[in-house]
Amino acid sequence: MRDGVAEKLVGVKEHPFTRGGLCAKVSHYLERTYSPDRLRRPLIRTGPKGKGAFREATWDEAIGLIAGRLQAVVAEHGGEAVLPYSFAGTQGVVQGQSIDRRFFARLGASRLERTICGQAAAAGQLEAAGTLVGLRPQDLEHSRLILLWGTNTIVTNLHLWPVVRRAREAGAKIVVIDPLRTRTAAAADWHVRPLPGTDAALALGLMHVIVAEGLHDADYVERFTEGFEQLRGELGDWGPDRAAAVTGVPAEEIVDLARQYATTRPAAIRRLIGIEHHREGARMVRTICCLPALTGAWRDRGGGILGPTAWAAWSPLDQDALSGPPPPTRSVSMIRLGHALNELEPAVHALVVYNSNPATTAPDSSEVTRGLAREDLFTVVLEHFLTDTAAYADVVLPATTQVEHVDVVPSWGHTYVTYNEPAIEPVGESLPNTEIFRRLARAMGFADPAFDATDEELARAAVEGARWPLQDVDFERLREVGWAEADLPDDWRPFAEGGFGTPSGRLRLWSDDLPPGFEPPPGDDEPLALVTAKSAHHFLNSTYANLPRHLMAEGEPMLELHPDDAAERGIEDGDIVRVHNVRGAVLARARTGDVVCPGVVVLPSGWWASRSGGASANALTSQELTDRGGGACVHAARVEVERVTQGAAMGREAASEPLEV
Ligand SMILES: Nc1nc2c(c(=O)[nH]1)N[C@H]1C(S)=C(S)[C@@H](COP(=O)(O)OP(=O)(O)OC[C@H]3O[C@@H](n4cnc5c(=O)[nH]c(N)nc54)[C@H](O)[C@@H]3O)O[C@H]1N2
Ligand SMILES: Nc1nc2c(c(=O)[nH]1)N[C@H]1C(S)=C(S)[C@@H](COP(=O)(O)OP(=O)(O)OC[C@H]3O[C@@H](n4cnc5c(=O)[nH]c(N)nc54)[C@H](O)[C@@H]3O)O[C@H]1N2
Ligand SMILES: [Mo]
């Protein structure tokens, strides 16, 4: 800090989990905070929607305008004609789910189903285990076999990688199960490559071998699970040959993996959300959850499943004290924003977006932007930058970044909560989300004291009302130290003696509602499976995808495709290709190699259409929901690819002049 200006952002070495490490995205966070492109004043639209023509306004004018328009919408169409749209952009609970939620509840606005990240997998795990509790990340150090199942740890979860490495140094074998040869797969001991969306068949094949060879833990199964006989019946059809035919993983490899998984102790499965983004995303996770119960892996420290740690360091915070009760209004899926803006009845007339950039991150982006372009839709966006979503707003409000506001930052990658103290004064006239919603509430005449709570009071309430395992976190101490750990016993083996969250306390190896199993997806016209993974190392979804350093590091959007698929289409490495299906088309540079198998292609998600040739990955994905949990099938689109030009320049050069797609 010098003269009120932050000069350097560093990780705290004493932090027990991150140990001072910052990922490639956050290590230059201050470039974001002080970027010349940062929004510094409220903006009011002066040109056509989507063109980014705005004039500056005072806060009073902007707030007054919004309050007037919202009041008019509510008076004419009712509260449900207003739709809030927000996600985890801000990372903290105070700026992410407090005064904002109270405001929309008071308004009687539609509720947003925030299901784009993790809810499908959670639904699958709940079906099997009845709880989201799982391993503690540090305990992977004790594991001797680690299956990184559909997660690209080095890119998306960097802080777990040192734990994985320590386990490996102590003799653990690291297996990556991923259709793509990711950086993580390349760094592992063994890369198992199922076709996208077929993991349930892989898990069934593994369980077939385990049960057929008597490698399951009969005592654990007997005492702590239910439905073994039905599962065994289903497994009868899943010999390694059939599993191999469905997944593309050779039968011998399935047998080998099954034996190693069942006989190596402790054996851990690490999953995040890569596998949930498929039609049967919940069922895939539900099926995988049978594995550690079948083998009794839960008996060991470092054995079992490690999923997101929100159960330890997020959900226990006092959600009611932050958000208040949700209104009894209709709910709208965030995955189907395109539908909500274009087709839903009664119609949405006002949209308020914050902590999210749906023009880029929501599926089926042509439908999203078609909705955002509606002249009769009143749109407000709270942002740091003029994102592709903000470009469609009627009013854009400048929000503070993490170094400018108070927050309690939960985690789903480790078991610590963090207190965020502002380091600098807000840049320009930016305000915390909370303060923006307070001002809006006042302007709308909401006199309720619920809108008077300060950020610090909200933070305190979230922590003081927290449940297990955050119940003992002391707010003053959290503020002083900066972080606090969930209170879990040193020897954390949550299900060594059963105790699952199901009514019987047993893990459900079978349930009629959503049994372990695999259905092939319905046939599709397009020949290639598209995965839209988070392969951009320097973006956090679409965040940072406008900053020079981060764009420079990523280069341009690349379509990875197999040399055979390329040859069939006359495409050579470095050519510009058009990736298309019925929903849209995206331009990318082709890279041929062994990242994908034949029949599979990959586009990175997160690129702004305005900076990458006019469209990005979600132009190709659909608004279809996963089987459970209302998730997004963003790794399950199908596409065709054709060559546009030989090796010409595109990407950022094309940003101002979008190529015709
Ligand atoms: N195709 C495809 N689509 C995907 C995914 C995928 O893998 N493939 N992944 C999905 C997943 S897992 C997720 S989590 C979603 C994420 O989708 P989004 O929630 O839209 O995430 P971001 O793109 O990071 O956008 C967050 C925005 O919040 C803004 N922001 C940050 N902090 C604040 C703040 O304090 N106040 C305000 N007002 N704004 C703030 C940032 O500037 C940024 O523009 O995307 C989903 N979409
Ligand atoms: N650099 C970076 N880090 C991030 C993010 C980011 O945008 N950029 N986003 C953050 C967020 S919001 C989240 S939710 C996490 C997500 O973290 P991850 O779950 O690790 O992220 P994904 O890229 O969605 O998926 C991981 C892997 O799943 C694979 N996959 C896709 N379909 C299948 C399948 O059917 N079977 C199998 N076995 N694998 C499959 C993909 O090929 C991909 O390599 O990352 C967080 N970290
Ligand atoms: Mo996510």
Side-chain angles (χ1 to χ4, degrees):
M1 283 283 292
R2 184 182 302 165
D3 302 332
V5 176
E7 296 186 309
K8 207 165 169 202
L9 184 114
V10 292
V12 180
K13 292 215 169 36
E14 294 75 34
H15 192 285
F17 195 76
T18 65
R19 302 190 182 185
L22 293 178
C23 65
K25 310 176 285 292
V26 172
S27 54
H28 299 283
Y29 193 83
L30 293 178
E31 287 173 22
R32 200 179 145 70
T33 296
Y34 292 120
S35 164
D37 293 338
R38 175 92 187 270
L39 296 169
R40 286 173 164 77
R41 260 167 282 285
L43 300 175
I44 293 175
R45 180 167 69 90
T46 53
K49 291 208 174 193
K51 298 292 179 210
F54 294 96
R55 67 171 170 86
E56 292 190 345
T58 62
W59 273 105
D60 283 348
E61 184 189 3
I63 294 283
L65 172 71
I66 299 167
R69 290 295 298 267
L70 290 183
Q71 267 156 349
V73 165
V74 173
E76 192 174 340
H77 306 284
E80 289 184 347
V82 179
L83 179 67
Y85 193 100
S86 73
F87 207 60
T90 191
Q91 316 280 329
V93 293
V94 174
Q95 302 306 330
Q97 49 176 97
S98 65
I99 303 287
D100 54 313
R101 304 292 173 100
R102 299 175 187 200
F103 177 78
F104 292 109
R106 175 68 177 71
L107 206 61
S110 289
R111 280 183 293 145
L112 186 72
E113 282 171 30
R114 295 178 170 83
T115 51
I116 210 161
C117 174
Q119 279 66 17
Q125 182 167 336
L126 286 172
E127 181 70 21
T131 170
L132 297 176
V133 171
L135 290 179
R136 174 171 48 198
Q138 302 88 300
D139 287 342
L140 250 48
E141 204 167 325
H142 301 282
S143 312
R144 288 302 165 264
L145 182 69
I146 300 177
L147 311 190
L148 300 171
W149 202 318
T151 178
N152 187 0
T153 311
I154 293 178
V155 171
T156 60
N157 184 202
L158 184 69
H159 289 119
L160 188 68
W161 189 247
V163 181
V164 173
R165 269 208 331 249
R166 285 198 292 279
R168 189 192 214 170
E169 277 154 22
K173 184 178 279 186
I174 313 304
V175 184
V176 167
I177 304 179
D178 197 309
L180 314 184
R181 191 158 178 81
T182 58
R183 285 194 196 194
T184 312
D189 299 303
W190 186 355
H191 179 197
V192 177
R193 302 182 81 158
L195 289 165
T198 65
D199 299 63
L202 177 62
L204 291 164
L206 295 174
M207 292 193 281
H208 173 100
V209 176
I210 290 168
V211 173
E213 299 191 357
L215 298 175
H216 59 291
D217 181 337
D219 177 64
Y220 193 93
V221 167
E222 162 73 26
R223 285 163 58 207
F224 306 128
T225 73
E226 62 189 42
F228 178 66
E229 286 311 319
Q230 286 120 306
L231 174 67
R232 193 211 286 265
E234 174 71 20
L235 294 179
D237 297 335
W238 282 103
D241 288 335
R242 179 170 173 211
V246 171
T247 61
V249 179
E252 318 78 72
E253 199 173 346
I254 295 176
V255 173
D256 192 7
L257 181 60
R259 289 179 183 154
Q260 294 203 30
Y261 177 71
T263 58
T264 310
R265 301 183 61 168
I269 293 172
R270 165 58 161 171
R271 66 140 186 105
L272 267 173
I273 58 147
I275 42 178
E276 84 168 24
H277 289 310
H278 291 275
R279 287 189 183 88
E280 294 214 301
R283 197 178 193 193
M284 265 155 68
V285 173
R286 186 261 178 275
T287 306
I288 290 167
C289 283
C290 293
L291 276 161
L294 199 62
T295 61
W298 284 114
R299 290 185 194 268
D300 306 319
R301 185 164 181 196
I305 296 189
L306 168 61
T309 54
W311 60 271
W314 193 328
S315 348
L317 292 168
D318 192 338
Q319 313 286 327
D320 289 344
L322 286 161
S323 317
T329 49
R330 73 170 169 186
S331 61
V332 173
S333 164
M334 70 184 298
I335 313 298
R336 308 193 69 216
L337 180 62
H339 174 268
L341 296 182
N342 296 305
E343 278 135 85
L344 190 66
E345 289 294 337
V348 172
H349 290 276
L351 175 73
V352 183
V353 180
Y354 54 105
N355 305 339
S356 187
N357 180 16
T360 306
T361 56
D364 199 357
S365 37
S366 332
E367 282 300 290
V368 174
T369 45
R370 184 163 79 88
L372 290 172
R374 260 175 52 198
E375 274 304 326
D376 64 333
L377 178 74
F378 178 67
T379 303
V380 180
V381 176
L382 285 62
E383 253 301 347
H384 299 154
F385 293 96
L386 202 63
T387 59
D388 284 0
T389 308
Y392 283 90
D394 294 279
V395 185
V396 182
L397 301 174
T400 45
T401 68
Q402 276 188 31
V403 293
E404 299 150 81
H405 56 226
V406 163
D407 221 325
V408 173
V409 184
S411 175
W412 62 267
H414 56 61
T415 52
Y416 297 80
V417 283
T418 306
Y419 188 75
N420 198 71
E421 196 89 66
I424 57 168
E425 290 296 314
V427 167
E429 293 178 14
S430 63
L431 290 175
N433 291 341
T434 42
E435 179 56 20
I436 297 175
F437 283 106
R438 265 184 221 111
R439 291 189 185 190
L440 273 174
R442 239 174 276 138
M444 303 273 298
F446 301 164
D448 193 322
F451 297 107
D452 297 337
T454 65
D455 288 7
E456 204 187 292
E457 284 164 358
L458 290 162
R460 179 187 292 276
V463 171
E464 288 184 345
R467 292 177 288 119
W468 177 87
L470 297 178
Q471 75 286 350
D472 292 334
V473 175
D474 179 69
F475 182 69
E476 297 305 335
R477 192 148 166 75
L478 170 66
R479 259 211 319 207
E480 206 176 295
V481 179
W483 64 82
E485 190 180 8
D487 180 23
L488 300 173
D490 198 38
D491 182 11
W492 176 241
R493 292 181 294 141
F495 310 118
E497 293 289 320
F500 292 95
T502 56
S504 64
R506 292 163 178 263
L507 183 122
R508 286 190 284 243
L509 293 174
W510 190 264
S511 49
D512 291 334
D513 219 23
L514 188 68
F518 171 79
E519 284 295 332
D524 233 316
D525 297 340
E526 312 296 355
L528 300 167
L530 170 70
V531 173
T532 60
K534 301 178 195 305
S535 39
H537 199 68
H538 300 82
F539 302 164
L540 176 61
N541 300 303
S542 75
T543 306
Y544 305 101
N546 61 320
L547 299 179
R549 179 195 295 270
H550 296 72
L551 282 168
M552 199 80 79
E554 288 301 325
E556 53 191 349
M558 293 283 183
L559 177 84
E560 305 280 354
L561 87 170
H562 191 271
D564 293 354
D565 291 322
E568 211 175 285
R569 293 163 176 80
I571 295 168
E572 286 183 22
D573 191 74
D575 286 352
I576 303 298
V577 292
R578 184 171 170 274
V579 190
H580 59 96
N581 61 19
V582 292
R583 286 176 291 276
V586 174
L587 292 173
R589 191 181 293 281
R591 187 157 54 194
T592 62
D594 71 343
V595 169
V596 286
C597 310
V600 181
V601 295
V602 191
L603 271 178
S605 61
W607 283 88
W608 296 14
S610 60
R611 285 158 198 269
S612 54
S616 75
N618 274 322
L620 301 162
T621 58
S622 84
Q623 297 180 54
E624 188 182 348
L625 301 181
T626 56
D627 50 351
R628 292 289 163 85
C633 300
V634 290
H635 294 341
R638 296 193 70 85
V639 293
E640 180 52 285
V641 181
E642 66 191 23
R643 192 174 90 163
V644 178
T645 55
Q646 212 174 350
M650 67 154 300
R652 272 165 292 124
E653 297 81 21
S656 47
E657 203 79 10
L659 296 175
E660 208 57 51
V661 286

